[in-house]
Amino acid sequence: MMWSHPYRKVDAEAGAGPRFLVMLEPPHLRWAFIRKVYSIISVQLLATIAIAATVVSVRPISTFFVRDSTGLALYVLVIITPFIMLCPLFYYHQYHPVNYILLGIFTVSLAFAVGLTCAFTSGKFPVFFFPSGTDEISDPWLLH
């Protein structure tokens, strides 16, 4: 009978069956893919931290963007470049050397956008982010 156990719950961790519908690939290929994904994410985070820290700590970079209208236009271009890069990333996601180059350009442009945004903040946060009883918290790493 089809409805003999209407309230039966299946425990996926019990090992009664395959956890996914398709687990046909060998485990070493699955682990190689996981290592590749985590390596890409780690390189992206490290590049973003390095570039953003450089933009924040080297003062002439941020003053270039606020000095005249050319810097402002370039700042707007730096902010929208990651969004523009999403289209070629979507289109070339199956082309091996091209997708890594586009991902690198995306990462660098996003890192510059993050760095410039951090360079123009005061480093003070409202008290509801840090419930310590003070009115604001200032960040000693921002050199303003």
Side-chain angles (χ1 to χ4, degrees):
M1 184 170 176
M2 186 172 164
W3 302 102
S4 62
H5 301 289
Y7 298 109
R8 181 179 175 190
K9 295 183 180 179
V10 178
D11 187 12
E13 296 176 356
R19 290 188 184 151
F20 302 106
L21 295 177
V22 180
M23 287 183 67
L24 301 176
E25 69 275 355
H28 66 88
L29 288 178
R30 188 172 36 246
W31 285 110
F33 174 73
I34 290 170
R35 278 193 302 272
K36 181 179 176 181
V37 168
Y38 281 123
S39 299
I40 290 171
I41 291 172
S42 299
V43 168
Q44 281 185 308
L45 283 174
L46 289 174
T48 302
I49 290 168
I51 292 172
T54 303
V55 170
V56 168
S57 62
V58 177
R59 199 71 181 147
I61 294 175
S62 60
T63 57
F64 167 75
F65 287 98
V66 295
R67 194 174 2 174
D68 56 357
S69 60
T70 306
L72 181 63
L74 193 58
Y75 179 65
V76 171
L77 182 68
V78 165
I79 294 293
I80 64 171
T81 300
F83 298 109
I84 294 170
M85 289 304 300
L86 288 176
C87 295
L89 275 170
F90 177 75
Y91 183 73
Y92 291 110
H93 74 278
Q94 292 291 327
Y95 298 97
H96 173 61
V98 177
N99 61 359
Y100 283 140
I101 294 168
L102 291 173
L103 189 62
I105 295 170
F106 172 78
T107 301
V108 169
S109 63
L110 190 64
F112 270 107
V114 167
L116 287 173
T117 304
C118 290
F120 295 135
T121 59
S122 66
K124 297 179 180 178
F125 302 101
V127 70
F128 57 86
F129 288 141
F130 303 103
S132 63
T134 59
D135 291 337
E136 56 191 26
I137 306 293
S138 62
D139 190 359
W141 294 102
L142 294 177
L143 304 172
H144 290 272

